[in-house]
Amino acid sequence: MTAYSFEVIGLDRIYAKADPRNKGSLQIFEKLGFTFERELQGLSGDDEESNGELLYVLAKEQFER
């Protein structure tokens, strides 16, 4: 899916978020090459429930097949 996202769809970055207590998800993000970007804060409306979650990013340049 990652290769498809970068090579076919043409995305430059892929984002993933998880609850900081979900250590398994965070380990998978890092194993896949994602890097921590920031903790989500200040969100409102439909996104408000994501406050406190950790945001990880994988840039196309970082992707290794």
Side-chain angles (χ1 to χ4, degrees):
M1 289 300 286
T2 305
Y4 184 85
S5 297
F6 290 136
E7 296 168 8
V8 177
I9 298 173
L11 297 178
D12 292 324
R13 302 177 93 177
I14 299 173
Y15 294 92
K17 65 181 180 73
D19 186 304
R21 297 170 293 185
N22 188 342
K23 303 297 183 196
S25 289
L26 302 178
Q27 289 174 342
I28 289 171
F29 293 161
E30 292 176 5
K31 182 176 181 177
L32 293 173
F34 284 74
T35 56
F36 175 74
E37 186 164 279
R38 65 185 170 95
E39 180 179 342
L40 297 173
Q41 297 179 4
L43 302 174
S44 60
D46 291 341
D47 298 321
E48 188 171 8
E49 64 186 36
S50 294
N51 284 319
E53 292 185 336
L54 303 181
L55 183 67
Y56 281 73
V57 65
L58 178 64
K60 186 175 184 177
E61 305 83 49
Q62 295 170 297
F63 177 62
E64 297 179 16
R65 291 181 63 175

